[in-house]
Amino acid sequence: GLNRWADVVQTRCRGRTGGIRQYHRGEILRKFMHMEHSEHWLASDASWLYSAIYDADVITGEAYFQVFVLAQSVVGLALSVLIVIILVFWTYLQSKTDSATASAPTFGSIGFVVGVLVVIPTGLAGVFFRRKLLWVAVIARKDFECAWFKSCTWIITNWRYLNGYASKERAALEKRVQAQNKAFVPAHWDARDTMNDTAWVAHWVQGVSYSVMLVFGTFALLDYLKYGVGTMEVGTFYALCKIYLTVGKYVGILSGVFVSMQRAVVSLREIAALLNQVDQRSQRREAKLWAKIGRTVGKVGMTHEAVAALQGRGDLTSI
């Protein structure tokens, strides 16, 4: 019961719906409502609706919430690396206690630590170098889906007009939607495969590192068990296997987080472009004009009656 209560509290208080998703949707709707007639032609109505529904959801789930997943993964990864370092030095101290001729940590012991440390930057570098390819795939998917979304929205919201369409016109409209869907599906596959391949770079690097550790660790364990050479015991070997798998798990999660954030970058830029459009241009021009009039009136000492007279004649620009 307590576990379920904690889950309910964190679900309600994490702020994805009320704090982020619906807030940005409200901002997009507010911006759209306060634009003048001529300004609505800068972006299509489907772009506004698509961004309010899809892009706001993407930046919430793939950017905002992923920050918490990122923090959790970084802590787990740091603890895993710390355990590897402690394990290597603990093994060295044990061997030094057991033998007076024990030397410094061997190249193999240091190699196990380096193998863990190499996985992290190499896996994340794959995400970094593939980010532009991911952006292109995600943007292409968004464009095709937005076109399909616009057609479906028009058909559903204008169903009354369909009653006046002939059979050929309805067939042509259905054919258009099917063509847009046919163009969208391959773009969706490309975007999905690009994101998955980018995230899997870290898994491939971790798999290679884990395989190398298994080979060298097995030989080190055999040398210790048969000849008494080295410090690789059964418990140490098992701990290294477990830690390598844990590091690979957290590096994979980190790669997935950065891939999700790269996807969210596209939606974030789309929303920013819509919200940064200049609106109420006529009122802005009028405000600048009145500010200029105010400065001029203060300089030449014109009365308010004179300004009102010029306004009545429409000759404010002569001031």
Side-chain angles (χ1 to χ4, degrees), residues 55-283:
D55 289 330
D57 184 70
V58 169
I59 65 174
T60 301
E62 307 295 342
Y64 164 73
F65 191 69
Q66 293 299 319
V67 173
F68 301 99
V69 181
L70 175 66
Q72 181 184 20
S73 302
V74 168
V75 172
L77 189 61
L79 292 177
S80 299
V81 174
L82 182 61
I83 291 176
V84 172
I85 297 175
I86 293 175
L87 180 63
V88 170
F89 279 97
W90 173 260
T91 304
Y92 163 69
L93 292 177
Q94 287 293 106
S95 64
K96 188 176 181 179
T97 303
D98 298 338
S99 175
T101 60
S103 58
T106 62
F107 175 77
S109 300
I110 299 176
F112 293 130
V113 179
V114 173
V116 172
L117 298 178
V118 167
V119 172
I120 302 173
T122 306
L124 299 181
V127 180
F128 176 79
F129 288 114
R130 289 174 57 91
R131 69 189 189 283
K132 293 184 179 180
L133 178 62
L134 193 148
W135 292 343
V136 171
V138 172
I139 291 174
R141 180 197 179 280
K142 277 174 49 64
D143 292 340
F144 285 115
E145 187 179 30
C146 185
W148 176 87
F149 182 79
K150 181 178 181 180
S151 298
C152 292
T153 304
W154 188 92
I155 293 173
I156 294 174
T157 57
N158 296 275
W159 60 269
R160 296 175 182 85
Y161 298 104
L162 297 179
N163 295 326
Y165 280 20
S167 299
K168 292 183 178 180
E169 294 171 334
R170 296 189 182 189
L173 187 59
E174 183 180 359
K175 185 177 180 180
R176 176 185 176 184
V177 175
Q178 291 177 350
Q180 291 173 341
N181 182 72
K182 186 177 180 180
F184 161 70
V185 172
H188 170 73
W189 290 342
D190 291 340
R192 179 197 60 194
D193 293 341
T194 302
M195 290 188 293
N196 290 339
D197 290 342
T198 304
W200 266 89
V201 171
H203 294 285
W204 294 330
V205 173
Q206 186 271 337
V208 172
S209 178
Y210 183 70
S211 300
V212 172
M213 187 277 300
L214 282 179
V215 173
F216 285 94
T218 301
F219 282 112
L221 179 61
L222 292 176
D223 288 340
Y224 178 78
L225 294 178
K226 190 171 184 179
Y227 304 107
V229 177
T231 59
M232 181 64 69
E233 300 179 359
V234 176
T236 305
F237 181 68
Y238 176 79
L240 284 175
C241 292
K242 184 66 175 178
I243 293 171
Y244 264 72
L245 291 177
T246 304
V247 170
K249 169 189 172 182
Y250 285 117
V251 171
I253 294 176
L254 282 178
S255 298
V257 168
F258 286 120
V259 169
S260 299
M261 288 185 174
Q262 294 300 325
R263 178 188 175 191
V265 165
V266 177
S267 296
L268 184 61
R269 289 177 176 175
E270 185 72 20
I271 293 178
L274 293 176
L275 294 180
N276 289 333
Q277 291 185 21
V278 180
D279 57 352
Q280 302 179 356
R281 300 187 181 187
S282 62
Q283 297 184 20

Side-chain angles (χ1 to χ4, degrees), residues 303-316:
T303 62
H304 293 287
E305 291 77 6
V307 175
L310 290 176
Q311 183 181 10
R313 296 197 305 267
D315 195 22
L316 288 176

Side-chain angles (χ1 to χ4, degrees), residues 286-316:
E286 186 176 354
K288 291 181 180 179
L289 179 60
W290 278 107
K292 179 181 177 181
I293 292 173
R295 292 192 299 267
T296 306
V297 169
K299 290 180 180 180
V300 301
M302 293 181 64
T303 62
H304 293 287
E305 291 77 6
V307 175
L310 290 176
Q311 183 181 10
R313 296 197 305 267
D315 195 22
L316 288 176

Side-chain angles (χ1 to χ4, degrees), residues 44-58:
S44 64
D45 51 354
S47 298
W48 287 91
L49 184 58
Y50 184 79
S51 292
I53 295 177
Y54 176 79
D55 289 330
D57 184 70
V58 169

